[in-house]
Amino acid sequence: MEHKEHHFQGSETVRDIVIGMSDGLTVPFALTAGLSGAVQNNGIVITAGIAEIIAGSIAMGLGGYLAGKTAYDHYYAEEKREYDEVEIVPEKEKQEIQDILSEYGITEQVKKDFVNELAKDKDKWVKFMMKFELNLEEPNMNSARNSAITIALAYVLGGFIPMLSYFFTDTPSAGLKYSIVITLLALMLFGYFKNKAIGENPINGAIKTTIIGALAAGAAFAIARMVSHV
């Protein structure tokens, strides 16, 4: 029977969705909950919520882009340094390969044969050092842009969930009641499927994500109530 290995492939995309969605659900939720304890008009809550979603998605997307761009620049700066080193101090680099192979219990003769064979091709030599010495994977040139878009869209999607009820209720207090139910359910489902996608316990993910969102909203609501009575 043919053996097929199943490994998760979309780690970067899932990471970006998690970053955007988790903040999108919790930050606007906390903001609208806090405002609900301080104002009497749904229009104010909606306006502030939309403004926060726009600003938050731009900030989060920009942060994702800069992080991806930094990783991209770092990789190629290190690659250039490795090319210089295999040119200037090849024996030192060869010894580093042997040191890496020693960690796997490979015999001296096999290590020498491997090093001599690898050193015939500088591109493969550098690629080996990048991966096994520096633990760096070559980044996709579009990863920074894709990361920014994914995070921003996930933030917008998550951010509108806590606000939905304010469009269909008359007062912030009524909107908040429905918002709590909708958002906590969304947090629970998000945490569940997020952990399921990465192969971890989905129940734990649902519980942790829901607790974090509830604490954030509760803190914002309590602070807004205190400020409004000062």
Side-chain angles (χ1 to χ4, degrees), residues 192 194-203:
Y192 181 91
K194 181 261 293 183
N195 271 33
K196 191 175 180 66
I198 61 177
E200 296 185 4
N201 190 316
I203 301 299

Side-chain angles (χ1 to χ4, degrees), residues 31-83:
L31 174 66
T32 53
L35 287 174
S36 296
V39 301
Q40 302 299 318
N41 190 312
N42 274 10
I44 297 175
V45 177
I46 292 171
T47 301
I50 292 175
E52 197 289 322
I53 290 172
I54 293 172
S57 63
I58 293 173
M60 293 290 292
L62 181 60
Y65 177 82
L66 292 176
K69 187 67 167 59
T70 299
Y72 183 88
D73 292 341
H74 174 64
Y75 180 90
Y76 287 105
E78 289 296 331
E79 184 184 59
K80 183 181 183 303
R81 187 175 293 111
E82 283 296 328
Y83 270 110

Side-chain angles (χ1 to χ4, degrees), residues 27 71 85 97 116 141 143-144 149 172 183 221 228:
V27 177
E85 289 178 352
I97 297 175
N116 291 331
M141 63 182 300
S143 61
I149 293 172
T183 306
F221 181 77
S228 66

Side-chain angles (χ1 to χ4, degrees), residues 181-200:
V181 174
I182 294 171
T183 306
L184 291 182
L185 179 59
L187 284 165
M188 189 179 301
L189 291 173
F190 170 66
Y192 181 91
F193 287 108
K194 181 261 293 183
N195 271 33
K196 191 175 180 66
I198 61 177
E200 296 185 4

Side-chain angles (χ1 to χ4, degrees), residues 16-31 48-61 147-163 190:
D16 293 338
I17 291 174
V18 168
I19 292 172
M21 184 71 78
S22 58
D23 277 17
L25 281 168
T26 55
V27 177
F29 183 28
L31 174 66
I50 292 175
E52 197 289 322
I53 290 172
I54 293 172
S57 63
I58 293 173
M60 293 290 292
S147 180
I149 293 172
T150 302
I151 291 174
L153 290 178
Y155 190 95
V156 171
L157 178 61
F160 271 103
I161 291 175
M163 291 182 53
F190 170 66

